[in-house]
Amino acid sequence: MLGLMQAWPLTVDRILDHARTWHGDSEIVTRSVEGPVVRTTYAEAHRRAKRLSNALKDLGVQPGDRVATLAWNTARHLETWYAIMGMGAVCHTLNPRLFADQLCYIINHAADKVILTDLTFAPLLLAQRDKMPTVERIIVMTDEAHMTGVGDPDALCFETLIAKYGEDFAWGGFDENTAAGLCYTSGTTGNPKGVLYSHRSNFLHTLVTLGGDLLGISARDVVLPIVPMFHANAWGLSFSAPAAGAKLVMPGGRLDGASVHELLESEGVTFSAAVPTVWQMLLNHLRQTDGRLTTLKRVVIGGAAVPEALVRAFQDDFGVEVTHAWGMTETSPLGTEAQPTARTLALDPESQFRLKMKQGRPPLGIEMKLTDGAGRPLPHDGKTSGHLKVKGPFVAGAYFGEQGGEILDEEGFFDTGDVGTIDDYGFMQITDRAKDVIKSGGEWISSIEIENLAMGHPKAELCAVIGARHPKWDERPVLLVKLKPEQIATREDFLDFLEGKIARWWMPDDVLFVSDIPLGPTGKIDKKALRERMKDYMLPSAR
Amino acid sequence: MLGLMQAWPLTVDRILDHARTWHGDSEIVTRSVEGPVVRTTYAEAHRRAKRLSNALKDLGVQPGDRVATLAWNTARHLETWYAIMGMGAVCHTLNPRLFADQLCYIINHAADKVILTDLTFAPLLLAQRDKMPTVERIIVMTDEAHMTGVGDPDALCFETLIAKYGEDFAWGGFDENTAAGLCYTSGTTGNPKGVLYSHRSNFLHTLVTLGGDLLGISARDVVLPIVPMFHANAWGLSFSAPAAGAKLVMPGGRLDGASVHELLESEGVTFSAAVPTVWQMLLNHLRQTDGRLTTLKRVVIGGAAVPEALVRAFQDDFGVEVTHAWGMTETSPLGTEAQPTARTLALDPESQFRLKMKQGRPPLGIEMKLTDGAGRPLPHDGKTSGHLKVKGPFVAGAYFGEQGGEILDEEGFFDTGDVGTIDDYGFMQITDRAKDVIKSGGEWISSIEIENLAMGHPKAELCAVIGARHPKWDERPVLLVKLKPEQIATREDFLDFLEGKIARWWMPDDVLFVSDIPLGPTGKIDKKALRERMKDYMLPSAR
């Protein structure tokens, strides 16, 4: 027997409709790509998004067509998302940090029909124009006055275009499983793979992340999404902020400490989310300028290993609550957050801090398990490392355009490629990527754990640990260190520093000083590139 | 094109699975019907619920069958809900405050197959046993030691029954639109009508109410649901508390001030929800005993008009944040809550308090509109009263067993039967029930507003306002007053008290003193019964 409640498809256009109706005056403030800080509201953004839907339809965009964006976090980018998704087309977010050939690969794989680009990225895109046969139109997200520098007569001007169209457009009305967004993983192995979000998955991710154990933002918050809309959906904030009716502050392309600090203070930001490097830049700026944070209450950090010192500085020196989160493109992206529970709040402060540094607990809507290589469940004892697998309504079930690629196990779980532990409090900790874990004598050594510890050395700017071939142990860890400017250090300085902090058999067999460590397009260490560089290296212990 | 995210039906069994896995040690503490305070955990409740599913299956319960409960808020009641819903049967909550013949009507209308009852209500139920032909079994939710008093050899003992069955039972695996729960409206007009919730509607209501603009409870909360599971789903707390992993405190049948206060303090309750009368009893107790509230942070009040003095007392004297909520059986039940926004927090304290006394804003997932009698939209100006209509995935679309009864308007909205205003801040205020509103000279007078004001008179225990026939004005208001014990008052005392607080033309044409005012089964004034009593009354002004 079926229930008798209303049929109300979970489509994301309803999110902006809600913001328009109940929080129409709430602002969206943007540090524009053109320069000045510009202000609009949810009501106005709703009207402009509808104009854009009409324009795209007139350009031949049909439901299901892919329309790409290559843009910073701005109100125009937000309008563009809703315009595309509301009409049933698929919003494909392009990551400008990708190499040009990867960008072309992705555009061609998705068969994008139209691309909307910021002024910043227009030259990059137009230089590759002839390598994108499916792309019929490029729209530059600016006004007519700034089109002069673009230098392509075929490129359309966003403002000029939408001014021609009316505000009436019927969004939604389709199956909630309709594709809404497309985002390619950074592809550290093989080609990038496309995650095809549905309206339902985005809507449910929004509701779940609005809960008090994840982002928990409300109509009382002022939200600054520093995490980009072009990668992992700005952690869903482009949906959750309007859903909550929170004022939204968009940082555009200027993510340096001074620019971020200025926005935090001038707009009264209460909540923000970013990767550690951005927070580190802000912290450096605050220290150099003796700056304060007078309105910021909470920040969520994720996307890469978080230095302890950073978390302590925000908490202790600036009174900002920091929580650590984990997720990936395939999880929409939030999977866990290290929010305390009544049980963990009863622990001593140091134990609480240890839990805070873990990646945290999954909310209702994310099932999570830890398995060995054969798929057998492993205990939640905080010690046993295993493959981390997830399941849920906003977790990928397949990749776009990959025929017959079954990516789920027999219980329907997706293998995250991460290796981690889960403790008795339900807190998960990532110890490594499965492909980066160092297999030494049949046991696992966490490259990330050694890296994080080594990063605590005052002379270290960046550290990486990879496994090197060893005739007896199979693999042994090697530490690569990029020193801070003007620093000098020896192999022994680092080994002494690690001594006592990790098990003896985890101690690196070698320490190498390098002038750079390669990073991937999302700012993480590119271990694939590093292993390629190191392919002729031989351990002293293996010689 | 459809998205490629995982298929993961939103079925409520996943909520208790989540609590078991991630918050297995979180407690459910019950003041049992038998007397003592008893303790269990989500992990244990999960196991016992599975045993009960096996028992019910063995008793012949099939997916889609209706299984009723007649019980207080207890851990056993919670286990029973999940046992029934998890196996795809329909949990029909019976309201013990209904008259015996209404109860029989409902049981027969639903064609309940099994009824689980508390010891308290077993005599009531067994006395009507032969009027319930579809009911095959009655299970008393107690242990064998307490069965002696039941006096029916056919009644089964809950504990004895579940002890016979194992913990393996595959819950879920069906369409998320499958019926999960059934609750009849109190039926102030006509027969009670059944709202048939689906797994999807309950799951979405859970996610929405976990948001920071509604209940916002988290794993750091200790939740005391005083609102009953037998009516309007305990405002969803039986789902949202385990979903958040919050400790749950169940008050059983003792809702007097002393009992509630004892539980609040002994269990460290941080969050509670109840109707105003319960809060009033608690407040009286606190004042009589000079009691304090040392852990309680937030309470949500709803279900009836909230006296201002009550809200101010909790806030100012006890430091407890009070929020006002609105909803109904047909909205699962939460529809709005008066949580402030950044904009309202910028107002002066008195204006903020005025907004707090309104019923509040709808979350994403509730669409709401105000219309005139012809269905035309009315402005959100805070002044214009209109019919309040709602739409959303946890709003009723039809009533159970009502053939061909179309209850939605052409835009798919459900008419709540309430009359209200919506202001510029998006705050809705109920001014009356549509059928209670007094139509005087073509204009509307809010019976509720006059009642609430009259209730502020120090001699008033309960006040009711209804419309009486008038040859010129069609209807005019009459105030009925039940005085507090040992009080004496005159018609003029009350008219003088109202003078200046309401428009002249809203002033009651008469004041009648009565020894009782009839209440319905959910504690609200039964205006239908009152109008029946008053049918021969004639206004002095109409004579």
Side-chain angles (χ1 to χ4, degrees):
Chain A
M1 186 189 328
L2 299 184
L4 292 172
M5 306 306 278
Q6 294 184 14
W8 195 89
L10 307 175
T11 58
V12 300
D13 51 290
R14 294 183 186 277
I15 296 175
L16 199 59
D17 284 350
H18 175 80
R20 183 264 323 252
T21 307
W22 299 100
H23 306 278
D25 293 336
S26 284
E27 283 185 305
I28 310 171
V29 180
T30 303
R31 188 191 295 282
S32 69
V33 172
E34 294 81 4
V37 169
V38 294
R39 317 181 87 83
T40 182
T41 63
Y42 286 124
E44 179 64 16
H46 187 271
R47 285 191 287 272
R48 287 165 49 87
K50 292 237 166 175
R51 289 181 185 274
L52 181 56
S53 290
N54 276 316
L56 291 173
K57 189 179 175 192
D58 214 28
L59 289 175
V61 173
Q62 299 287 324
D65 282 349
R66 272 76 65 206
V67 177
T69 64
L70 183 65
W72 298 110
N73 292 5
T74 67
R76 282 199 191 107
H77 198 178
L78 189 85
E79 291 159 2
T80 302
W81 274 32
Y82 284 95
I84 298 169
M85 297 182 198
M87 68 192 292
V90 181
C91 179
H92 175 201
T93 48
L94 298 170
N95 186 342
R97 296 191 186 128
L98 291 173
F99 296 114
D101 58 346
Q102 283 178 299
L103 212 52
C104 291
Y105 170 86
I106 285 174
I107 291 166
N108 290 325
H109 188 269
D112 293 329
K113 197 164 187 174
V114 173
I115 302 181
L116 291 102
T117 177
D118 268 345
L119 265 180
T120 324
F121 310 119
L124 163 73
L125 197 67
L126 293 167
Q128 308 290 324
R129 186 67 188 84
D130 56 352
K131 296 181 194 151
M132 307 165 187
T134 65
V135 176
E136 297 173 9
R137 278 293 182 180
I138 287 175
I139 302 171
V140 184
M141 300 163 82
T142 192
D143 52 26
E144 202 61 49
H146 290 86
M147 285 299 286
T148 48
V150 173
D152 186 318
D154 286 343
L156 296 169
C157 167
F158 185 97
E159 293 297 333
T160 308
L161 181 70
I162 69 168
K164 292 182 200 152
Y165 295 91
E167 293 164 9
D168 282 340
F169 193 103
W171 281 344
F174 37 72
D175 187 322
E176 67 188 31
N177 291 299
T178 299
L182 178 62
C183 181
Y184 283 73
T185 60
S186 40
T188 50
T189 52
N191 278 323
K193 292 182 176 68
V195 177
L196 191 66
Y197 305 107
S198 66
H199 280 265
R200 173 182 165 99
S201 70
N202 281 337
F203 200 107
L204 289 173
H205 183 264
T206 303
L207 292 182
V208 168
T209 59
L210 283 172
D213 278 322
L214 280 177
L215 306 179
I217 57 174
S218 77
R220 295 169 292 291
D221 280 306
V222 179
V223 174
L224 174 69
I226 304 181
V227 282
M229 292 171 71
F230 60 69
H231 181 68
N233 296 320
W235 298 1
L237 289 165
S238 318
F239 299 119
S240 54
K247 174 178 164 180
L248 200 46
V249 183
M250 296 297 218
R254 285 167 55 187
L255 307 182
D256 59 284
S259 300
V260 168
H261 186 220
E262 189 190 318
L263 274 185
L264 286 170
E265 290 297 305
S266 63
E267 298 302 330
V269 172
T270 62
F271 177 94
S272 188
V275 294
T277 47
V278 170
W279 293 123
Q280 192 62 58
M281 288 192 294
L282 173 62
L283 191 63
N284 295 346
H285 169 77
L286 290 171
R287 291 208 162 130
Q288 281 157 20
T289 60
D290 204 16
R292 306 312 299 163
L293 296 171
T294 60
T295 63
L296 189 64
K297 288 181 192 156
R298 290 181 299 130
V299 297
V300 179
I301 306 196
V306 178
E308 270 193 42
L310 185 67
V311 176
R312 291 201 195 267
F314 271 101
Q315 288 197 165
D316 303 342
D317 303 346
F318 296 94
V320 175
E321 185 195 320
V322 178
T323 51
H324 195 183
W326 167 88
M328 57 202 309
T329 304
E330 287 89 341
T331 60
S332 295
L334 290 175
T336 65
E337 199 175 308
Q339 290 276 10
T341 66
R343 239 180 112 204
T344 69
L345 286 177
L347 298 171
D348 63 273
E350 186 54 29
S351 302
Q352 286 189 45
F353 190 81
R354 288 293 126 223
L355 288 172
K356 219 178 201 348
M357 295 305 297
K358 296 191 176 188
Q359 274 74 9
R361 304 177 285 116
L364 173 66
I366 289 282
E367 291 185 71
M368 183 174 279
K369 68 178 181 183
L370 210 57
T371 75
D372 66 12
R376 287 178 297 248
L378 292 173
H380 293 193
D381 59 8
K383 290 172 199 152
T384 311
S385 266
H387 298 279
L388 194 70
K389 296 176 183 175
V390 291
K391 182 175 173 178
F394 46 88
V395 177
Y399 290 111
F400 180 61
E402 302 264 315
Q403 263 71 36
E406 178 53 73
I407 65 169
L408 308 182
D409 72 10
E410 63 282 5
E411 286 181 318
F413 280 76
F414 169 77
D415 189 337
T416 63
D418 280 326
V419 165
T421 60
I422 298 174
D423 65 26
D424 176 51
Y425 298 98
F427 279 61
M428 182 273 287
Q429 181 166 32
I430 301 288
T431 53
D432 223 330
R433 289 289 296 167
K435 59 184 184 302
D436 297 335
V437 82
I438 298 159
K439 285 114 189 159
S440 176
E443 300 283 344
W444 285 2
I445 295 173
S446 161
S447 64
I448 289 177
E449 202 167 328
I450 305 175
E451 281 165 11
N452 288 350
L453 284 167
M455 282 291 288
H457 192 291
K459 294 183 176 178
E461 181 168 307
L462 192 57
C463 297
V465 171
I466 61 166
R469 290 268 139 225
H470 191 282
K472 180 172 175 191
W473 303 110
D474 195 15
E475 286 184 341
R476 288 297 301 159
V478 177
L479 171 64
L480 290 97
V481 178
K482 180 187 175 194
L483 291 171
K484 285 178 180 164
E486 300 175 29
Q487 296 295 337
I488 295 177
T490 66
R491 184 179 185 279
E492 283 65 35
D493 288 342
F494 275 83
L495 293 178
D496 290 350
F497 182 77
L498 292 175
E499 189 75 42
K501 295 193 176 75
I502 49 174
R504 293 299 298 264
W505 65 279
W506 279 38
M507 286 294 281
D509 275 23
D510 204 1
V511 180
L512 305 175
F513 294 92
V514 295
S515 60
D516 74 304
I517 290 175
L519 299 180
T522 59
K524 294 179 194 170
I525 295 170
D526 186 346
K527 296 221 172 154
K528 188 183 166 198
L530 204 54
R531 276 189 285 265
E532 180 60 26
R533 279 192 197 175
M534 295 277 289
K535 67 179 192 294
D536 297 325
Y537 167 80
M538 187 174 284
L539 278 169
S541 55
R543 274 170 210 153
Chain B
M1 186 187 331
L2 298 185
L4 292 171
M5 306 306 278
Q6 295 185 13
W8 195 90
L10 306 175
T11 59
V12 299
D13 50 290
R14 296 183 186 277
I15 295 175
L16 199 59
D17 284 351
H18 175 80
R20 184 263 323 257
T21 307
W22 300 100
H23 305 278
D25 293 336
S26 284
E27 283 186 304
I28 309 171
V29 180
T30 303
R31 187 191 296 283
S32 68
V33 173
E34 294 81 6
V37 168
V38 295
R39 316 181 88 83
T40 184
T41 62
Y42 286 124
E44 179 63 16
H46 187 272
R47 286 190 288 272
R48 287 164 49 86
K50 293 241 165 172
R51 288 181 186 275
L52 180 57
S53 290
N54 276 315
L56 291 173
K57 189 179 177 192
D58 214 29
L59 289 174
V61 173
Q62 300 286 324
D65 282 349
R66 272 76 66 208
V67 177
T69 63
L70 184 64
W72 297 111
N73 292 5
T74 66
R76 281 197 192 107
H77 199 178
L78 190 85
E79 290 158 4
T80 301
W81 274 31
Y82 284 95
I84 298 168
M85 298 183 197
M87 69 193 292
V90 181
C91 179
H92 174 200
T93 48
L94 298 170
N95 185 342
R97 296 190 186 128
L98 292 174
F99 296 113
D101 59 344
Q102 283 179 299
L103 212 52
C104 290
Y105 171 85
I106 286 174
I107 290 166
N108 290 324
H109 188 270
D112 294 328
K113 196 166 190 174
V114 173
I115 302 180
L116 291 102
T117 177
D118 268 346
L119 264 180
T120 325
F121 310 118
L124 164 72
L125 197 66
L126 292 167
Q128 308 290 325
R129 185 71 187 83
D130 56 352
K131 295 182 195 150
M132 307 165 185
T134 64
V135 177
E136 297 173 9
R137 278 293 182 181
I138 287 176
I139 301 171
V140 184
M141 300 164 81
T142 192
D143 52 28
E144 201 61 48
H146 290 85
M147 285 299 286
T148 48
V150 173
D152 185 318
D154 286 344
L156 295 169
C157 168
F158 185 97
E159 291 298 332
T160 308
L161 180 71
I162 69 168
K164 292 182 197 154
Y165 295 90
E167 293 165 6
D168 284 340
F169 192 102
W171 280 345
F174 38 72
D175 186 322
E176 69 188 30
N177 291 300
T178 299
L182 178 62
C183 182
Y184 283 75
T185 59
S186 41
T188 50
T189 52
N191 279 321
K193 292 184 176 69
V195 177
L196 192 65
Y197 304 108
S198 66
H199 281 263
R200 172 182 165 101
S201 70
N202 282 336
F203 200 107
L204 290 173
H205 182 264
T206 303
L207 293 182
V208 168
T209 59
L210 284 171
D213 278 323
L214 280 177
L215 306 179
I217 57 174
S218 77
R220 295 169 291 291
D221 279 307
V222 179
V223 174
L224 174 69
I226 304 182
V227 281
M229 293 170 72
F230 61 67
H231 182 68
N233 296 320
W235 298 1
L237 289 165
S238 318
F239 299 119
S240 54
K247 175 178 164 182
L248 199 47
V249 182
M250 296 297 217
R254 285 167 55 188
L255 306 182
D256 59 285
S259 300
V260 168
H261 185 220
E262 189 190 317
L263 274 184
L264 287 170
E265 288 297 303
S266 63
E267 297 303 330
V269 171
T270 62
F271 176 94
S272 189
V275 293
T277 47
V278 170
W279 293 122
Q280 191 62 58
M281 289 192 292
L282 174 63
L283 191 63
N284 295 347
H285 169 78
L286 291 170
R287 293 209 160 131
Q288 280 157 20
T289 59
D290 204 17
R292 306 311 301 163
L293 296 171
T294 59
T295 63
L296 189 64
K297 288 181 194 155
R298 289 181 300 134
V299 296
V300 179
I301 305 197
V306 179
E308 271 193 42
L310 186 68
V311 176
R312 292 203 195 265
F314 271 101
Q315 288 198 165
D316 302 342
D317 303 346
F318 297 94
V320 174
E321 184 193 321
V322 178
T323 50
H324 196 184
W326 168 87
M328 56 201 311
T329 305
E330 287 89 340
T331 60
S332 293
L334 291 175
T336 64
E337 200 176 308
Q339 290 276 10
T341 66
R343 238 180 112 204
T344 70
L345 286 176
L347 298 171
D348 64 273
E350 186 53 28
S351 301
Q352 287 190 45
F353 190 82
R354 288 294 124 222
L355 288 172
K356 218 179 202 348
M357 294 305 297
K358 295 191 176 189
Q359 275 74 9
R361 304 176 285 117
L364 173 66
I366 289 282
E367 291 185 69
M368 183 174 280
K369 68 177 180 182
L370 210 57
T371 76
D372 65 12
R376 287 179 295 250
L378 292 174
H380 292 193
D381 59 9
K383 288 173 202 151
T384 312
S385 266
H387 297 277
L388 194 70
K389 296 177 183 174
V390 291
K391 182 176 172 179
F394 45 90
V395 177
Y399 290 112
F400 180 60
E402 303 262 317
Q403 263 71 35
E406 179 53 74
I407 66 169
L408 308 183
D409 73 10
E410 63 280 5
E411 286 181 318
F413 281 75
F414 169 78
D415 188 338
T416 64
D418 280 327
V419 165
T421 60
I422 298 174
D423 66 26
D424 176 52
Y425 298 98
F427 280 60
M428 182 274 288
Q429 180 166 32
I430 300 287
T431 53
D432 223 329
R433 289 290 294 167
K435 60 184 181 300
D436 297 335
V437 81
I438 297 160
K439 286 112 187 159
S440 177
E443 298 284 341
W444 286 0
I445 296 174
S446 162
S447 65
I448 290 178
E449 201 167 326
I450 306 175
E451 282 164 12
N452 289 349
L453 285 167
M455 282 290 287
H457 192 290
K459 292 184 177 178
E461 182 169 308
L462 192 58
C463 297
V465 171
I466 62 167
R469 289 269 137 227
H470 191 282
K472 179 173 176 190
W473 303 110
D474 195 16
E475 285 185 340
R476 287 297 302 158
V478 177
L479 170 63
L480 290 98
V481 178
K482 181 189 174 190
L483 291 172
K484 285 180 182 163
E486 301 174 28
Q487 296 294 337
I488 295 177
T490 66
R491 184 178 184 280
E492 283 64 35
D493 289 343
F494 275 83
L495 293 177
D496 290 351
F497 182 77
L498 291 175
E499 189 74 42
K501 295 191 175 78
I502 50 175
R504 292 300 296 264
W505 65 280
W506 280 38
M507 285 295 280
D509 274 24
D510 203 0
V511 180
L512 305 175
F513 293 92
V514 296
S515 59
D516 74 304
I517 288 174
L519 299 180
T522 59
K524 294 179 194 170
I525 295 170
D526 185 346
K527 297 223 172 152
K528 188 183 165 198
L530 204 53
R531 276 190 284 265
E532 180 60 26
R533 279 191 198 175
M534 297 274 290
K535 67 179 191 296
D536 297 327
Y537 167 82
M538 186 175 280
L539 279 169
S541 55
R543 276 168 208 156

